[in-house]
Amino acid sequence: MTRAKHRAGIPLTEPVKPKKAPRPSTPVTKPIRKEMDIQYRQPAGITERMIKVNKDIVQPENPHLIKVAVIGAANAGKSTLVNKIVGDEISGVSPKAHTTRERILAVLSQDNYQVVFLDTPGVIPDHNHAQMNRTLSTSSWRALDEADHGKFLE
């Protein structure tokens, strides 16, 4: 840090150490605190800690659901494609490879139809598997097990 200060023209000074106060030779007694009227809250019970689930779910009469896994090489534009189809920024997009580190779900709903897109990390070739995180290298293929259809990008 001194080199940076010297280049910036800041004068160098020695740090000032605070002087320690002498300890009294006689023991110091602390004053006794007066009793205060403090009201403590009871800890939250199980009903307060549980997640509130909405029980009034409205389902269409004839719902249709399809899951589509979007799979491809790193930097193939999988997240960009999913963001454009859904019409919102669901996945992060960057020019760097492996921006998507785990599977991301994006849902497109219209009338009685829902399309769930499984945005996956880039597929890693076999010779690079040892260098990458195991979850990163296998999550693309695990999404195929869950999906009804697959969209492969090159």
Side-chain angles (χ1 to χ4, degrees):
M1 189 63 158
T2 57
R3 184 182 300 161
K5 287 183 180 179
H6 178 70
R7 287 185 182 168
I10 299 172
L12 300 175
T13 59
E14 290 294 321
V16 179
K17 295 181 180 178
K19 294 182 180 179
K20 293 183 179 179
R23 299 188 94 190
S25 59
T26 59
V28 178
T29 58
K30 294 182 181 180
I32 299 173
R33 296 175 68 191
K34 293 182 180 178
E35 291 292 326
M36 291 191 221
D37 187 21
I38 299 175
Q39 302 221 351
Y40 294 101
R41 285 181 52 198
Q42 292 293 323
I46 191 71
T47 57
E48 288 88 12
R49 288 185 283 160
M50 293 293 288
I51 296 172
K52 306 292 188 267
V53 178
N54 188 2
K55 295 183 180 169
D56 301 328
I57 298 173
V58 179
Q59 285 282 350
E61 289 188 26
N62 190 14
H64 299 281
L65 173 72
I66 188 169
K67 292 183 180 180
V68 179
V70 183
I71 295 177
N75 267 11
K78 300 177 294 294
S79 297
T80 305
L81 176 69
V82 170
N83 288 346
K84 293 291 183 184
I85 291 173
V86 173
D88 199 2
E89 188 171 339
I90 305 297
S91 299
V93 178
S94 170
K96 293 184 178 181
H98 303 295
T99 304
T100 305
R101 305 292 288 184
E102 56 189 37
R103 186 199 64 186
I104 297 174
L105 297 177
V107 180
L108 175 65
S109 297
Q110 197 170 32
D111 299 330
N112 291 345
Y113 302 97
Q114 263 190 348
V115 181
V116 178
F117 293 98
L118 307 170
D119 186 13
T120 61
V123 175
I124 300 169
D126 284 338
H127 62 279
N128 287 341
H129 267 225
Q131 299 171 357
M132 300 301 283
N133 183 352
R134 179 181 291 163
T135 306
L136 182 66
S137 60
T138 59
S139 62
S140 303
W141 302 115
R142 280 187 278 136
L144 278 177
D145 295 337
E146 185 179 348
D148 301 322
H149 290 283
K151 172 66 180 165
F152 295 92
L153 299 179
E154 291 183 29

